[in-house]
């Protein structure tokens, strides 16, 4: 009789037989293999990833995206567990969930994430960063990379019928897992073969180069790629050998399942840092079959009770009761029937299989002992598959077949206890930067903000929480050392001058006492023309309107705007009329001279207001630029600005930054802008509006803006700046004050109460980090002995103490 997951209506076949037949194992395709290829239980593969497993069984696998389950509160986990049960209830075909702790090629990882030397004078800093990264890799599960898969298997007569059925199932499965905030990513044939190859050829993953289309042209089958030279399942009853590796496949003893299983058990098992693979097979039992089987069993128990009572009555033992064992069995069966009928429960045959592979038998025994300890702690047993290692291996792999039958009938709520979710990781492998480690899994966090839809971001923390050190300087250092991108800091507290010094940057300290000047009227003289075809003059007209509004302390009347616009255009037209070799950049006094030529009374009023900024004591912007503004690293210091000058200075600074970003965009170069004490710029109406406009435009110009400030509340209370937060896909949350922590749920989607607790009282450099929809509790603390710490540290007390210690040492 062929297996089926659908109720069989044929007369003469009892529900009990159907019930038991559902857990019957598949038969291997080649009972007497002549070569190692014969031991791989796949008949055929299609480019779209559909495997023919047996004559009428077909499977398709998906990468299963993890969910932040561990970091949820108890109530959040309960709600998630309920949704997970609903997802299990939706299974009406054979499903295998696989957690694969595969080998990670650490040499390849290091080549991708360690900062490469460039012989540019900064390799000592790259080494300092590499020391940080290496130390954190060692802390984590070095050499292990965990992936999760779900494999759906259906029974159909041919490929076309299977493809159509799998296609119809796919959308509902994807929607169900999306409701859990997870995702199912379909795997094609090459990707599925790659996963299997990672197990069969542990340690040689870098040699994998199978491409189905090329292999077919060359006459090579997929089994030639997968097969080992040696696959020995006969020398020992409880282990197998593949080339120079030894492994063992085990099962979770169905008889040892406890009445109640902790939802942390499967996580603890799969988190063991060993090369291993774990699969949970779910075989759904049709409701009518489950009900009829239990009803028949209950009827049998009731008959037993009746017979026992008759015997007692014949002996005259009217007061004695039936045996405890039978009474308990009846009570359990009645409870099970109630669960099926009334409590939205389904029944599944569930089997848990696990495989371990190692370099030698000593290491294998060590890893098997570790598994035993976790299982025994949960009051269960794990047993090797004796004399069935071959069948068990083809079961545990995400192929789709099941060749063993060690399964237990469980209700949905019990089957759901094997929660396959743990915590989300962020490990982009395309030109990533290091952002610390995941506090839960200890896995390194590698990411590239350029790959986000909107790479703008925010850093929030109380004073001393590590805003500038962790939120800006660490990342900016990675940018400087690994790219050719430009970096700009807006520095209201003069905390970034050390970074400029370390990286050979330029400092523009906007203050009345400075001798370093910035000309706000600079344009591209070579491309300036009378007709303003490239819009430079129009931009400067708009900019000068803002400057004059700031100087006149409020919105100006239309007639003033006309005069300002006319004067700016006249000034640049005169320059454009000159031969290129005779052109020079105008300064503010040139603009004032043009204003003097205007006959209107309003022109004289504008001139009078601007005099202090051009000819008076606040004339720092009436000079030609004498700073290296082409430097890759620029720091704009704002701390010592006089009150009357601050608003204008901020506008001029933002205009200068905008022009730099535009110029870089034309070169195809990215610009990273860090605005510390973000609230300072928001406090001035003109700079606030300009900054908001810049924030919205910069993404299209290859720029990445980061706002750094203390209070989430302060940014969220303004609808415009609140929009900036919601539209930015990068956020760092270090230590938060209680009022700010209370509103984080509104500021960020998908953040849980349990995650917010990571911002309650962490060490500087620890908290939450968000990339798109991924939120991770992170740890980016830097050892105080590392040179990076000395460069980026802003703690004046620590700096003073270290300086004093150095004096004492000398």
């Amino acid at each position: 009789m062929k297996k089926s997951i659908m109720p069989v209506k044929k007369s003469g076949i009892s529900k009990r037989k159907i019930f038991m037949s559902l857990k019957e194992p598949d038969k291997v395709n080649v009972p007497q293999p002549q070569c190692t290829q014969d031991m791989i239980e796949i008949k055929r593969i299609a480019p779209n990833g559909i495997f023919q497993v047996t004559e009428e069984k077909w499977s398709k696998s998906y990468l299963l995206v993890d969910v932040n389950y561990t970091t949820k509160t108890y109530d959040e986990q309960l709600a998630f567990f309920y949704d997970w049960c609903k997802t299990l209830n939706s299974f009406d075909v054979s499903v295998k969930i696989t957690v694969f702790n595969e080998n990670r090629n650490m040499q390849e990882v290091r080549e991708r994430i360690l900062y490469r030397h460039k012989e540019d004078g900064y390799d000592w800093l790259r080494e300092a960063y590499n020391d940080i990264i290496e130390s954190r890799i060692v802390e984590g599960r070095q050499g292990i990379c965990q992936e999760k898969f779900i494999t759906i298997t259906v029974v159909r007569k041919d490929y076309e019928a299977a493809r159509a059925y799998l296609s119809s199932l796919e959308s509902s499965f994807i929607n169900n897992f999306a409701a859990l905030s997870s995702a199912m990513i379909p795997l094609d044939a090459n990707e599925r073969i790659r996963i299997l190859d990672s197990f069969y050829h542990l340690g040689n993953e870098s040699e994998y180069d199978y491409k189905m289309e090329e292999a077919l042209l060359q006459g090579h089958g997929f089994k030639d790629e997968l097969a080992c030279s040696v696959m020995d399942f006969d020398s020992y009853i409880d282990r197998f050998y593949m080339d120079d590796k030894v492994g063992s496949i085990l099962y979770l003893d169905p008889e040892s399942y406890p009445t109640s299983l902790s939802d942390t058990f499967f996580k603890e098992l799969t988190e063991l840092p060993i090369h291993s693979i774990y699969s949970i097979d779910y075989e759904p039992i049709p409701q009518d079959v489950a009900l009829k089987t239990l009803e028949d069993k209950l009827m049998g128990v009731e008959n037993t009770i009746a017979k026992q009572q008759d015997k007692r009555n014949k002996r005259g033992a009217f007061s004695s009761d039936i045996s405890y064992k039978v009474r308990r069995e009846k009570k359990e069966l009645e409870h099970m029937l109630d669960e099926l009928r009334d409590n939205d429960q389904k029944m599944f045959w569930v089997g848990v299989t696990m495989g371990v592979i190692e370099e030698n038998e000593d290491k294998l025994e060590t890893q098997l002992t570790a598994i035993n300890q976790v299982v025994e702690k949960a009051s269960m047993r794990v047993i090797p598959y004796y004399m069935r290692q071959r069948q068990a291996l083809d079961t545990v792999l995400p192929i789709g077949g099941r060749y063993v039958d060690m399964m237990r009938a469980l209700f949905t709520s019990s089957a759901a206890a094997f929660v396959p979710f743990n915590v989300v990781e962020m490990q982009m492998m395309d030109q990533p930067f290091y952002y610390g480690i995941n506090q839960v899994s200890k896995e390194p966090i590698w990411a590239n903000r350029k790959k986000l839809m909107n790479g703008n971001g925010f850093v929030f923390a109380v004073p001393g929480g590590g805003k500038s050190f962790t939120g800006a300087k660490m990342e900016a250092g990675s940018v400087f050392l690994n790219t050719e991108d430009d970096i700009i800091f807006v520095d209201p507290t003069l905390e970034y001058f050390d970074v400029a010094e370390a990286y050979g940057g330029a400092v523009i300290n906007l203050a009345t006492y400075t001798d370093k000047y910035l000309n706000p009227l600079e344009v591209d003289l070579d491309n300036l023309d009378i007709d303003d075809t490239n819009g430079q003059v129009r931009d400067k007209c708009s900019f000068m309107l803002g400057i004059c509004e700031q100087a006149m302390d409020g919105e100006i009347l239309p007639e003033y705007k006309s005069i300002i616009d006319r004067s700016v255009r006249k000034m640049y037209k005169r320059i454009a009329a000159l031969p290129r070799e005779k052109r020079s950049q105008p300064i503010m006094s040139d603009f004032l001279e043009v204003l003097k030529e205007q006959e209107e009374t309003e022109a004289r009023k504008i001139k009078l207001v601007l005099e202090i900024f051009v000819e008076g004591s606040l004339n720092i912007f009436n000079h030609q630029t004498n700073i290296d503004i082409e430097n890759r690293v620029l720091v704009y210091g704002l701390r010592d600005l006089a009150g009357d000058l601050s608003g204008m200075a901020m506008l001029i600074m933002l205009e200068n930054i905008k022009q730099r970003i535009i110029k870089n965009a034309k070169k195809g170069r990215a610009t990273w802008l860090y605005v510390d004490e973000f609230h300072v710029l928001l406090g001035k109406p003109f700079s606030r509006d300009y900054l908001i406009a810049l924030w919205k435009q910069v993404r299209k110009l290859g720029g990445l803006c980061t706002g750094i400030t203390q209070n989430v509340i302060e940014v969220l209370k303004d609808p415009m700046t609140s929009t900036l937060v919601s539209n930015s896909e990068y956020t760092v949350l270090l230590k938060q004050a209680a009022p700010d922590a209370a509103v984080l749920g509104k500021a960020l989607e998908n953040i849980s109460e349990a995650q917010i607790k990571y911002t309650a009282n962490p060490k500087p450099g620890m908290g939450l980090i968000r990339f798109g929809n991924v939120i991770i509790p992170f740890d980016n603390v830097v050892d105080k002995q590392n040179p990076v710490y000395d460069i980026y540290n802003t703690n004046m007390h620590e700096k003073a103490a270290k300086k004093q210690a150095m004096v004492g040492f000398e």
Side-chain angles (χ1 to χ4, degrees):
M1 182 185 70
K2 293 175 182 176
K3 289 174 61 178
S4 172
I5 57 147
M6 301 299 291
V8 178
K9 298 182 179 179
K10 186 177 178 181
S11 60
I13 301 178
S14 71
K15 300 291 187 183
R16 173 69 177 171
K17 287 183 178 179
I18 298 171
F19 182 83
M20 297 305 296
S21 72
L22 289 170
K23 74 165 188 170
E24 287 179 3
D26 298 318
K27 292 181 179 179
V28 295
N29 292 310
V30 185
Q32 299 297 326
Q34 301 300 309
C35 59
T36 55
Q37 284 90 335
D38 290 344
M39 298 181 184
I40 299 169
E41 292 299 327
I42 309 170
K43 293 179 72 68
R44 290 186 298 164
I45 65 175
N48 60 6
I50 295 177
F51 284 8
Q52 183 180 10
V53 182
T54 66
E55 199 61 38
E56 293 189 356
K57 274 196 169 185
W58 310 78
S59 73
K60 187 170 177 60
S61 288
Y62 303 79
L63 178 69
L64 188 60
V65 176
D66 214 335
V67 174
N68 280 322
Y69 180 75
T70 303
T71 58
K72 295 180 183 294
T73 64
Y74 177 74
D75 289 340
E76 289 168 341
Q77 287 184 345
L78 278 180
F80 180 90
F81 190 81
Y82 175 75
D83 290 337
W84 171 227
C85 287
K86 287 171 60 178
T87 300
L88 280 185
N89 277 345
S90 70
F91 293 176
D92 56 2
V93 293
S94 301
V95 172
K96 187 191 302 286
I97 291 179
T98 305
V99 178
F100 186 12
N101 287 335
E102 61 183 298
N103 187 62
R104 172 183 280 159
N105 187 327
M106 293 310 297
Q107 181 59 34
E108 182 180 334
V109 168
R110 285 176 169 84
E111 288 177 1
R112 283 180 178 270
I113 68 169
L114 292 182
Y115 297 174
R116 298 182 182 180
H117 288 197
K118 295 184 178 180
E119 297 183 0
D120 56 359
Y122 297 103
D123 285 341
W124 65 277
L125 268 171
R126 293 186 180 92
E127 277 303 307
Y129 267 82
N130 287 343
D131 287 344
I132 296 169
I133 297 169
E134 283 279 8
S135 66
R136 289 313 183 91
I137 288 176
V138 171
E139 286 181 37
R141 301 194 305 166
Q142 184 176 196
I144 301 293
C145 174
Q146 188 175 95
E147 290 188 303
K148 299 179 179 181
F149 309 100
I150 180 168
T151 303
I152 302 170
T153 304
V154 300
V155 177
R156 285 296 183 270
K157 289 186 177 181
D158 55 44
Y159 168 76
E160 287 299 329
R163 183 184 60 80
Y165 190 28
L166 284 166
S167 178
S168 68
L169 289 172
E170 185 173 289
S171 59
S172 62
F173 267 80
I174 288 174
N175 289 337
N176 287 331
F177 277 89
L180 298 171
S181 298
S182 180
M184 289 171 53
I185 302 172
L187 302 177
D188 64 20
N190 292 330
E191 291 165 327
R192 290 191 72 180
I193 295 298
R194 193 274 304 167
I195 295 160
L196 298 176
D197 185 85
S198 296
F199 188 88
Y200 285 120
H201 301 287
L202 174 70
N204 299 311
E205 295 81 9
S206 60
E207 299 176 11
Y208 176 78
D209 62 352
Y210 178 79
K211 293 180 177 59
M212 184 178 177
E213 296 79 4
E214 294 179 9
L216 289 174
L217 290 174
Q218 296 170 3
H220 298 303
F222 65 91
K223 291 189 179 183
D224 296 331
E225 171 67 30
L226 292 176
C228 302
S229 300
V230 176
M231 293 182 75
D232 179 5
F233 293 96
D234 299 324
S235 295
Y236 290 87
I237 63 172
D238 63 347
R239 64 194 59 190
F240 62 90
Y241 293 86
M242 292 196 310
D243 291 339
D244 58 344
K245 302 294 189 298
V246 58
S248 181
I249 312 298
L250 313 95
Y251 65 92
L252 200 60
D253 182 9
E255 299 299 322
S256 70
Y257 285 22
T259 305
S260 177
L261 181 64
S262 169
D263 60 350
T264 63
F265 164 72
F266 196 64
K267 177 184 81 71
E268 292 172 5
L269 189 62
T270 56
E271 276 192 334
L272 289 171
I274 60 180
H275 298 118
S276 52
I277 187 166
Y278 307 83
S279 281
I280 311 169
D281 281 288
Y282 293 98
E283 198 72 54
I285 301 170
Q287 199 79 342
D288 63 331
V289 171
L291 281 168
K292 180 60 176 171
T293 301
L294 292 176
E295 286 169 352
D296 289 348
K297 195 167 184 179
L298 178 61
M299 186 179 297
V301 171
E302 288 175 338
N303 287 336
T304 300
I305 292 172
K307 289 177 182 178
Q308 286 187 4
Q309 194 62 57
D310 284 344
K311 287 181 181 179
R312 284 170 171 75
N313 292 343
K314 287 177 181 179
R315 294 199 305 265
F318 300 105
S319 61
S320 64
D321 203 350
I322 58 176
S323 68
Y324 170 76
K325 180 180 178 181
V326 177
R327 282 187 287 117
R328 181 173 178 178
E329 188 176 2
K330 179 185 178 184
K331 185 176 181 181
E332 287 176 352
L333 285 168
E334 289 173 340
H335 173 72
M336 292 167 74
L337 283 166
D338 288 342
E339 289 289 296
L340 281 176
R341 290 169 176 154
D342 305 326
N343 295 333
D344 197 28
Q345 295 278 325
K346 285 182 65 173
M347 284 193 78
F348 300 85
W349 284 112
V350 178
V352 180
T353 316
M354 55 201 80
V356 181
I357 187 165
E358 269 300 345
E359 297 173 355
N360 55 59
E361 293 194 17
D362 289 341
K363 286 187 177 180
L364 177 64
E365 288 299 330
T366 300
Q367 312 301 25
L368 293 177
T369 299
I371 287 177
N372 264 302
Q373 288 172 346
V374 173
V375 173
E376 287 175 1
K377 190 172 71 171
S379 302
M380 287 186 285
R381 291 189 303 273
V382 63
I383 302 173
Y385 271 106
Y386 294 111
M387 305 299 291
R388 288 184 293 171
Q389 286 289 299
R390 175 192 166 193
Q391 295 91 328
L393 174 60
D394 286 311
T395 298
V396 78
L397 293 173
I399 295 172
R402 182 175 53 77
Y403 304 92
V404 291
D405 60 354
M406 288 302 178
M407 307 184 83
R408 172 79 174 263
L410 297 175
F411 286 117
T412 305
S413 56
S414 298
F418 298 104
V419 179
F421 303 108
N422 181 18
V423 66
V424 175
E425 304 289 357
M426 175 55 66
Q427 294 186 341
M428 297 181 181
M429 297 305 284
D430 187 4
Q431 299 177 323
F433 299 153
Y434 168 79
Y435 286 90
I437 62 170
N438 188 319
Q439 288 189 49
V440 176
S441 67
K442 307 303 179 186
E443 284 287 298
I445 300 169
W446 312 319
N448 187 340
R449 285 170 64 182
K450 292 180 183 177
K451 304 303 177 182
L452 299 174
M453 290 183 62
N454 185 340
N456 291 340
F458 283 87
V459 178
F460 297 105
V462 300
K467 292 192 303 297
S468 61
F469 190 117
T470 304
K473 295 178 182 179
M474 283 294 291
E475 181 184 67
S478 294
V479 173
F480 180 82
L481 297 170
N482 290 283
T483 72
E484 299 300 319
D485 300 345
D486 287 351
I487 305 162
I488 300 173
F489 296 100
V490 176
D491 184 9
T493 55
L494 309 188
E495 290 186 352
Y496 294 84
F497 287 11
D498 52 357
V499 178
E501 182 180 355
Y503 295 126
V507 172
I508 304 171
N509 192 17
L510 301 175
T512 54
Y513 57 79
T514 186
D515 59 357
K516 303 294 184 183
Y517 301 118
L518 188 66
N519 179 9
L521 296 180
E522 279 190 5
V523 292
D524 182 358
L525 292 176
D526 290 336
N527 292 304
L528 185 67
D529 58 63
I530 292 176
D531 296 325
D532 189 32
T533 54
N534 55 20
Q536 289 192 83
V537 176
R538 287 193 296 276
D539 285 345
K540 287 299 178 185
C541 287
S542 177
F543 169 66
M544 283 305 296
L545 284 173
I547 290 291
C548 293
E549 280 186 334
Q550 183 66 44
M552 299 174 79
D553 198 25
E555 186 174 353
I556 55 180
L557 297 173
E559 52 266 35
Y560 288 88
K561 292 181 180 179
S562 296
I563 295 169
I564 294 165
D565 182 80
R566 181 203 312 157
S567 301
V568 173
R569 284 188 286 107
K570 279 189 176 182
M571 179 179 67
Y572 284 109
K573 277 188 177 181
R574 289 174 183 175
I575 298 171
L578 297 173
R580 281 182 171 78
E581 64 275 10
K582 292 186 178 181
R583 295 177 182 178
S584 60
Q585 296 287 359
I587 57 176
M588 292 291 286
S589 55
D590 295 319
F591 175 68
L592 212 61
E593 288 300 319
V594 178
L595 270 179
K596 290 178 182 178
E597 298 171 8
Q598 310 310 306
E599 298 177 353
E600 294 88 351
T601 304
E602 290 83 358
R604 289 195 294 273
K605 290 182 179 179
I606 298 169
K607 172 186 169 297
L608 184 64
V609 170
L610 290 179
E611 267 186 7
I612 189 172
F613 301 105
V614 179
E615 299 170 351
S617 59
L618 304 180
N619 69 342
I620 67 167
F621 295 114
N622 189 36
H623 301 272
Q624 295 291 355
T625 299
N626 62 355
I627 304 168
D628 179 18
I629 59 171
E630 297 300 318
N631 198 298
R632 276 191 64 199
V633 180
L634 287 179
V635 178
Y636 290 87
L638 302 179
R639 187 188 67 184
D640 300 329
L641 282 173
D644 290 338
L645 190 60
S646 61
M648 182 181 292
M650 288 181 187
L651 271 182
I652 291 171
M653 173 193 69
L654 290 171
E655 169 67 10
N656 190 257
I657 291 171
K658 178 183 175 180
Q659 293 306 318
R660 177 65 173 273
I661 293 172
I662 292 171
K663 189 174 182 180
N664 282 347
K666 292 177 181 177
K667 297 177 183 178
R669 175 180 290 181
T671 310
W672 298 69
L673 172 62
Y674 296 91
V675 184
D676 207 345
E677 304 299 338
F678 188 73
H679 59 278
V680 172
L681 272 72
L682 298 182
K684 303 284 184 180
F686 302 106
S687 61
R688 168 193 174 278
D689 294 343
Y690 198 102
L691 183 61
I692 290 171
L694 177 63
W695 211 271
K696 294 179 178 179
Q697 297 168 7
V698 73
R699 183 180 63 85
K700 297 178 182 178
L701 299 171
L704 299 106
C705 295
T706 306
I708 306 165
T709 190
Q710 296 177 20
N711 301 114
V712 178
I713 293 175
E714 196 166 63
V715 178
L716 295 182
K717 68 182 180 183
D718 183 331
M720 292 299 294
T721 54
S722 177
T723 302
L724 299 185
V725 175
S726 59
N727 289 339
S728 299
E729 292 200 298
Y730 172 74
T731 312
V732 176
L733 299 168
L734 300 161
K735 184 176 181 179
Q736 301 294 307
D740 292 298
V743 301
L744 284 177
K746 297 178 181 178
L748 302 175
E749 294 182 4
N750 302 325
I751 188 169
S752 70
E753 291 181 22
Q755 288 173 327
I756 292 174
K757 290 180 181 178
Y758 283 93
T759 69
N761 194 29
K763 295 179 182 178
M766 298 175 68
L768 291 176
I769 193 166
R770 177 178 73 108
F771 298 94
N773 293 325
V774 177
I775 300 173
I776 300 172
F778 82 106
D779 174 356
N780 199 7
V781 176
V782 175
D783 192 311
K784 292 184 179 182
Q785 305 307 313
N786 191 290
V788 166
Y789 187 86
D790 288 336
I791 296 172
Y792 298 161
N793 185 24
T794 58
N795 188 314
M796 58 176 292
H797 302 294
E798 287 187 5
K799 285 188 168 185
K802 187 158 189 175
K803 185 175 181 180
Q804 184 64 37
M806 292 299 294
V807 171
F809 178 77
E810 292 173 354

